[in-house]
């Protein structure tokens, strides 16, 4: 039996995942530009693996990244 609420949560997760990943990427970029000597991602860190996954999926054309203007209308 499929619950409507569970389907809505799955749909929401599909929408939010790319948005969250994009925000994290933008914030990491901002941090690295501001303080490059204090920020480090090691291969053992989960976010490092996430970033690798994003890079691979983007290389395969499986990700559509939106500009700041497209997302926020600014």
């Amino acid at each position: 039996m499929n619950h409507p609420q569970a389907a809505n949560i799955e749909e929401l997760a599909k929408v939010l995942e790319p948005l969250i990943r994009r925000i994290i990427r933008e914030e990491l970029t901002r941090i690295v530009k501001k303080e490059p000597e204090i920020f480090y991602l090691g291969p053992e860190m989960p976010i490092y693996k996430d970033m690798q996954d994003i890079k691979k999926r983007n290389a395969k054309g499986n990700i559509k990244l939106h500009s700041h203007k497209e997302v926020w209308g600014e």
Side-chain angles (χ1 to χ4, degrees), residues 11-22:
E11 287 178 33
L12 182 60
K14 287 179 184 178
V15 171
L16 287 178
E17 179 187 358
L19 177 63
I20 292 168
R21 286 178 182 259
R22 185 194 55 77

Side-chain angles (χ1 to χ4, degrees), residues 9-55:
I9 291 172
E10 289 176 18
E11 287 178 33
L12 182 60
K14 287 179 184 178
V15 171
L16 287 178
E17 179 187 358
L19 177 63
I20 292 168
R21 286 178 182 259
R22 185 194 55 77
I23 290 168
I24 290 171
R25 187 192 79 243
E26 286 180 1
E27 285 302 305
L28 289 176
T29 300
R30 184 183 62 78
I31 292 167
V32 168
K33 286 180 181 177
K34 185 177 178 183
E35 301 288 341
E37 67 281 349
I38 65 166
F39 189 77
Y40 172 77
L41 284 179
E44 70 286 350
M45 300 170 78
I47 196 165
Y48 182 91
K49 293 173 181 144
D50 286 341
M51 298 299 277
Q52 284 183 318
D53 177 55
I54 291 169
K55 183 177 179 180

